[in-house]
Amino acid sequence: MTTREFPPDFLWGAAAAAYQIEGAVDADGRTPSIWDTFTRLPGAILNGDDADAACEHYDRMPQDVALMKELGLASYRFSTAWPRICPDGGPVNQAGLDFYRRLVDELLGAGIVPWLTLYHWDLPQALEDTGGWTRRDTADRFLDYAMAVYDALGDRVDHWTTHNEPWCSAFMGYTGGGHAPGRQEGVAGVVAAHHLLLGHGLFVDEFRRRGGTPEQGKAVGITLNPTVADPFDPTRAADVEAARRLDGFHNRVFLEPLFRGRYADDLAGDTDGMLFAGRPWQDAVHDGDLQLISAPLDFLGVNFYHGDVPAALPYDAEPGELLGSRIEHATRPRQSPYPGGGFVFPRTGRPTTDRDWEIDPDAFTRLLVRLRDEYAVPPVYITENGAMANDVVEDGAIHDAGRREYIEQHLHALRDAMDKGVDVRGYFVWSLMDNFEWSYGYAHRFGLVHVDFATQVRTLKDSARWFAEMAARNALCQ
C-alpha cells in the first residue's frame, strides 16, 4: 500500500451553517430571517420541513464541540446568524453575540481553530422587506453587522469569510426563486450579486483598516461555489454557447470583479434589454465599487460537489423531451436561476450521489487548475465538499461506504491539483452533522455524524471514523 501525503500544516476540518443546525429561532432576541419566512411558503421545502429545531445546536453546542474533538478536527467552519446578532437588521444584541463567544471559547479550549463565515444566507427578514440584496443599503447594513461580530470575536478568531456561495444568495434567491427569499425577478440576481460583492468589499476594507493582515495573524476571504461548464455536445454550437453563458452567470460574474476589478463584457450582452426596477443592472455599480470588491484577499474558499454539463433547449421544451435530464435548473425562464434560462443539464452516464448529483472528481482538479491559471487566486481552502446519502441505521451503526468513497475520490483529485502546483491549504468536509438541508429539508443527509431528529441523538458514521483516521495520518492510502 502506498500513501499520498499532504503538507504538514494542511488544515483538516468540517463545516456547518447557523440556520441549518442551531434551531432556537426565537431565543434570546433572535428575529426571523428570510429562511424562516421561506420555509412557511407552501411547497417551498421538501416534506414541509422547517428549521425551528434543526439540530438544537444552540442548546447542545458543548456536546457538539466535544464530538469535533473526538473526531480530531483541527478546524471548524461555522457561520454567525445575522438575525441573532442584529435582530431585524438593527442594533447589536449582546445575548446573540454571547452564544458565539461561548462557541469560540469552547472551540479554542478543545484545540480547534474557529473558521468564521459572516453570511450563510440568513438575511434578516426586516431587511428583505425593504428590498433585501437588491437594495444597496443592505451592503452597508451587512458591514454594520459584520463589524459587530469582528469587534466581539476578532481577538480570538483569525480566519474570516465574508460570504458563502453568493451565487446561491443572488441567483437562487432573486432570479430562480428556489431559495429564500423566493423571488423570480430575472436580472435582479445580478443586482443582488453586485451588492453581495459590495458588502464583501466594504468588510475587507474595514478589516484591513483595523489591522487585519497576515502580519498580524489575520486572514480574510470569500467562499464561492464555481462550477465546470462542459457543453453536452461540444460539436453543437448551441451547447457550446450554453456552456459559455453558464460560466458567465455562475463563475465569472464573481471571479471577474473579485480578481480583475471588472465585469466581463459578455455579461452585459447576455443581459441586454433586461431591466430591474426599470433600469439596467449596471446602474447598481457606482464609482469605486469595483476597487473595493477587487481588494487583495488572503484566501479563496472553494465549495465543490459536481460539475455541470449544459445543453441548449427551447424555452418551451417539455420534460419528456429532455434526454432523461435532471431538471434541477428548470428550462423555463421564470424558474431558471439564470437570467434568460435556456438550458438544462442532461444525464451523461456518470455515477451519481443519492442526491442525483453526478460524480466527476476530474472536474474538481480542472476547476482548481483553472482558478490558478486564469485568475491567479490566493491560497485555496476547500470549504465544502461531501456527498448526500440515504443513510440507514443498522444495529446502531451507519455504514455509509458511498460517502467515504466520494470524499476519498475528491481528495485524490485535490491532491492531483496540488501536484500540478495549485496552492491548496485545507479541506472542510460538508458537513459535520446531518442538518436542515435548505429546500430539501431533513430528507437529504450530508453529515459525518448522524442525527436522529426525533431524539437529537448523534451517532458517528463509518465515514466519520475513516475521515478522522485519514486526517490524523495526513495522507491518503492507495
Side-chain angles (χ1 to χ4, degrees):
M1 180 180 294
T2 59
T3 60
R4 300 185 75 184
E5 295 183 352
F6 287 82
D9 56 352
F10 195 82
L11 189 68
W12 296 101
Y19 188 70
Q20 294 181 268
I21 65 171
E22 285 181 3
V25 295
D26 56 2
D28 297 329
R30 183 190 181 278
T31 56
S33 75
I34 54 176
W35 275 93
D36 295 289
T37 302
F38 189 68
T39 59
R40 269 63 179 177
L41 297 178
I45 309 297
L46 188 68
N47 299 327
D49 293 332
D50 61 52
D52 289 3
C55 304
E56 296 184 358
H57 175 71
Y58 191 76
D59 297 315
R60 299 170 182 266
M61 178 269 293
Q63 299 96 304
D64 289 339
V65 174
L67 268 177
M68 301 177 209
K69 184 174 182 179
E70 181 180 348
L71 289 170
L73 297 182
S75 186
Y76 173 53
R77 176 178 176 252
F78 66 96
S79 71
T80 49
W82 190 343
R84 199 179 293 286
I85 292 170
C86 294
D88 291 332
V92 174
N93 171 32
Q94 291 299 329
L97 269 175
D98 284 345
F99 170 73
Y100 299 104
R101 291 186 175 103
R102 295 193 300 272
L103 170 59
V104 168
D105 288 346
E106 199 79 24
L107 291 169
L108 293 174
I112 298 169
V113 174
W115 194 286
L116 191 150
T117 299
L118 288 161
Y119 187 70
H120 202 131
W121 308 353
D122 48 359
L123 181 73
Q125 180 61 42
L127 294 182
E128 175 58 30
D129 291 342
T130 65
W133 287 109
T134 62
R135 187 167 182 254
R136 187 179 180 88
D137 182 66
T138 300
D140 294 318
R141 301 289 72 76
F142 170 76
L143 178 63
D144 294 340
Y145 147 70
M147 295 317 300
V149 180
Y150 184 77
D151 288 344
L153 303 177
D155 61 332
R156 285 160 293 160
V157 175
D158 294 333
H159 302 89
W160 294 78
T161 302
T162 53
H163 294 297
N164 177 78
E165 297 184 2
W167 177 84
C168 292
S169 298
F171 292 102
M172 293 293 284
Y174 291 89
T175 294
H179 278 193
R183 288 163 60 175
Q184 298 175 338
E185 300 176 21
V187 79
V190 186
V191 176
H194 179 72
H195 291 152
L196 284 154
L197 287 171
L198 177 61
H200 158 84
L202 289 170
F203 177 77
V204 172
D205 184 60
E206 189 62 25
F207 183 85
R208 300 299 192 206
R209 291 178 190 274
R210 306 252 187 128
T213 64
E215 292 74 21
Q216 298 298 321
K218 303 293 183 184
V220 64
I222 190 171
T223 282
L224 305 179
N225 60 325
T227 191
V228 173
D230 293 323
F232 181 68
D233 181 351
T235 68
R236 183 183 180 215
D239 287 1
V240 173
E241 173 65 5
R244 182 199 61 77
R245 292 184 64 244
L246 171 61
D247 185 57
F249 281 120
H250 199 113
N251 295 334
R252 290 181 287 109
V253 68
F254 298 104
L255 292 169
E256 293 284 330
L258 282 166
F259 298 111
R260 293 179 177 170
R262 63 188 293 270
Y263 285 106
D265 293 339
D266 63 341
L267 184 62
D270 289 338
T271 56
D272 185 44
M274 298 181 186
L275 303 179
F276 175 71
R279 305 173 70 180
W281 68 264
Q282 290 92 335
D283 286 2
V285 183
H286 294 190
D287 289 346
D289 284 3
L290 289 167
Q291 182 177 356
L292 278 172
I293 291 167
S294 61
L297 300 177
D298 302 314
F299 65 87
L300 173 66
V302 172
N303 294 354
F304 183 86
Y305 295 93
H306 61 86
D308 284 306
V309 183
L313 288 166
Y315 290 155
D316 59 354
E318 294 299 324
E321 301 172 15
L322 304 185
L323 309 176
S325 173
R326 55 178 173 88
I327 313 302
E328 197 152 23
H329 304 309
T331 59
R332 293 174 177 81
R334 179 175 174 274
Q335 298 173 327
S336 172
Y338 305 98
F343 49 89
V344 292
F345 301 89
R347 297 183 188 278
T348 64
R350 297 190 183 107
T352 65
T353 67
D354 288 345
R355 188 164 171 169
D356 202 27
W357 284 350
E358 293 184 345
I359 301 172
D360 186 8
D362 176 66
F364 191 25
T365 305
R366 289 189 289 129
L367 170 65
L368 294 171
V369 171
R370 178 196 179 188
L371 292 173
R372 189 270 315 275
D373 289 350
E374 292 189 25
Y375 291 97
V377 297
V380 169
Y381 289 83
I382 307 308
T383 40
E384 289 183 27
N385 177 244
M388 181 269 173
N390 295 319
D391 297 320
V392 176
V393 182
E394 298 177 304
D395 298 325
I398 301 96
H399 305 300
D400 56 338
R403 178 177 290 109
R404 168 186 167 166
E405 183 178 358
Y406 175 96
I407 294 172
E408 193 168 21
Q409 288 175 340
H410 284 77
L411 286 174
H412 278 293
L414 169 61
R415 198 65 187 85
D416 290 343
M418 296 172 70
D419 289 344
K420 295 176 184 291
V422 181
D423 186 2
V424 184
R425 299 190 181 182
Y427 176 94
F428 294 81
V429 67
W430 184 267
S431 58
L432 172 65
M433 67 181 86
D434 297 333
N435 54 39
F436 178 81
E437 190 54 41
W438 305 112
S439 56
Y440 293 92
Y442 298 108
H444 286 195
R445 294 175 177 268
F446 278 83
L448 295 178
V449 178
H450 180 273
V451 178
D452 182 326
F453 293 105
T455 64
Q456 292 296 334
V457 170
R458 275 82 157 133
T459 304
L460 297 184
K461 302 176 187 179
D462 286 358
S463 62
R465 302 183 191 282
W466 167 82
F467 186 79
E469 293 170 0
M470 182 276 304
R473 190 171 57 245
N474 200 36
L476 289 163
C477 297
Q478 62 177 168

